[in-house]
Amino acid sequence: MGTIVPMLTEITIDNLGVISHATAEFSSGLSVVTGETGAGKTMVVSSLRLLCGSRADASRVRSGADRAVVEGRFSTSGLGDAARGRAEAVVEGAGGVADDNGEFIALRTVTSAGRSKAHLGGRSVPAAALKEFSEQLITVHGQNDQLRLLAADQQRAAVDAQVGDVFNRYEAAWSEYRRLAKDLQERTLKRRELAQEIDRLRFAIDEIDAVAPASGEDAELVELIRRLQDVDTVREQAVTALHAIDGADGGGFDDSSPASDLLGQAAAALAGDDPELAQLSEQLSDITSQLGDISVALGSFLSGLPSDPSELDRLLQRQGEIKSLTRKYAPDCEGVVAWRAKAAQRLEKIDVSSDALDKLEKEVQSAHKEALALAKQLSKARQGVAARLSKQVTAELAGLAMGKSRFEVAVSTVELGPHGIDEVEFRLASMPGAEARPLASSASGGELSRVMLALELFQGADTRGATLVFDEVDAGVGGVAAVEIGRRLAQLAKNNQVIVVTHLPQVAAYADMHLHVSKHVGDDTVTSGVEELSRERRIEELSRMLAGLADTETGRAHAEELLDRAQQECAEMRAG
């Protein structure tokens, strides 16, 4: 077995295709899935695609079932820090959590009506979240993926995956250049309109600054004006109450004694030896004390009342000025202040003066120079990767029964753009001396499968801990080439978890784990199940795969020899 931590640890399938129910556990190293035609072995890949967020297809739901369900368990512990952080951030963003084993459960349900639901870490998520999570852990290669390899952007991406940080630095420089260039273009083409906008903004800012409203000032004015409008009435009420308590100062009030004096006289009259009257005297003394506090408060209140007759007019004028602003810019003072701040920011950005445009043009030129310099660095790095890729993939193809073929990665120069100054194209020549032609017009399905495998071997040499799934990677291959594919998949599985659906015994013999999909044909239905094969069962399956010789001594002997030789090679690879 390999020493890496597997990303995919287990998958459970219910009612998908011909599989009614199956559970498979995966280990590190190389796992193969085999079975007779129609047994449903490709459903393993289909289920993984569903867990990776691919489009749900109602036709894949088992006949007679309401829904198909696929559940996968994934571990992120073998990922690098950056990839693990991205994967776990998707789960955390959805509110999901790991299970008791520290693994994340992904689940996809597809109904017979075509509706789909996805769950991750115990929480419902969009299918896109499954894609974002799984792309950090697992890569599925099937016939459709091989066809995508024909696209120019995919070929460029395969090269850029090897160029290092220079691509990210170029993307950032290009984005900054485009942002500045767009700003300059807008200011130049719309100079008149922007100049008019500048005038409007300056007028508005000057108008607001002339009033200089403060947040919440409008509400404070309402309260102050209300009190000023009622000030005479309020003053009269307070004075009357104060005179009733303490009496008038200098006359002008009636001749009756003030309340404080009368209460004092009553308290003095009750003071004596009688305990009941003495208690009443104390209560009257407390009331007298409270009247003193009220008297002080009334005096303070009266001294705080505005005495300037013109203050009300001044506040009403201020309120009118603020209302003129709130009618134009925002419903209240707080909004007017915020509008003014945004207007100032906008004004700063749209300066169309000659000095501002000259400064911006210099910034654009500087950003273009920086982007071009990084594009040249990126181009140099791509050419280095292209040379290595061409050489190593050609060497790999020689071992995959394509010894006369030559693989080339052509890097041609184009105008500076979002991806630099390069155009990348994969080409294949079928024989020495022949002109290499674009992959789309020169490779058969089987050749395309082997090119993809060779590319994965090139990229896998520098990776560790990835999970790679191959479906029909050995299509159109047999004989010695099949052995070489098995050997190279085993080599790839030294540092990665590799899962392969195959029909070739030469490939299956190299597996660390052999899963078999078997079907049972009943009177009305066909069902399939998945089992992990023991050594004895592997020999039987390899015998069947060799030539349908599962029940013969010759077939078993051939299968046993194939298995032992392949496993010996695997042991030597791991030890090397």
Side-chain angles (χ1 to χ4, degrees), residues 555-576:
R556 289 180 60 81
H558 190 183
E560 188 169 7
E561 180 184 3
L562 177 64
L563 179 61
D564 289 342
R565 183 181 300 172
Q567 291 299 304
Q568 178 61 34
E569 282 191 46
C570 289
E572 292 172 358
M573 287 181 195
R574 288 190 289 268

Side-chain angles (χ1 to χ4, degrees), residues 289-308:
S289 177
Q290 292 179 27
L291 279 177
D293 293 341
I294 294 172
S295 175
V296 171
L298 284 172
S300 177
F301 176 79
L302 285 168
S303 64
L305 289 176
S307 57
D308 185 359

Side-chain angles (χ1 to χ4, degrees), residues 186 194 197 201 341-351:
E186 181 180 282
L194 292 174
E197 183 181 356
L201 289 173
K342 290 181 179 179
Q345 292 177 357
R346 173 61 178 164
L347 188 60
E348 185 178 351
K349 289 182 179 179
I350 60 172
D351 187 354

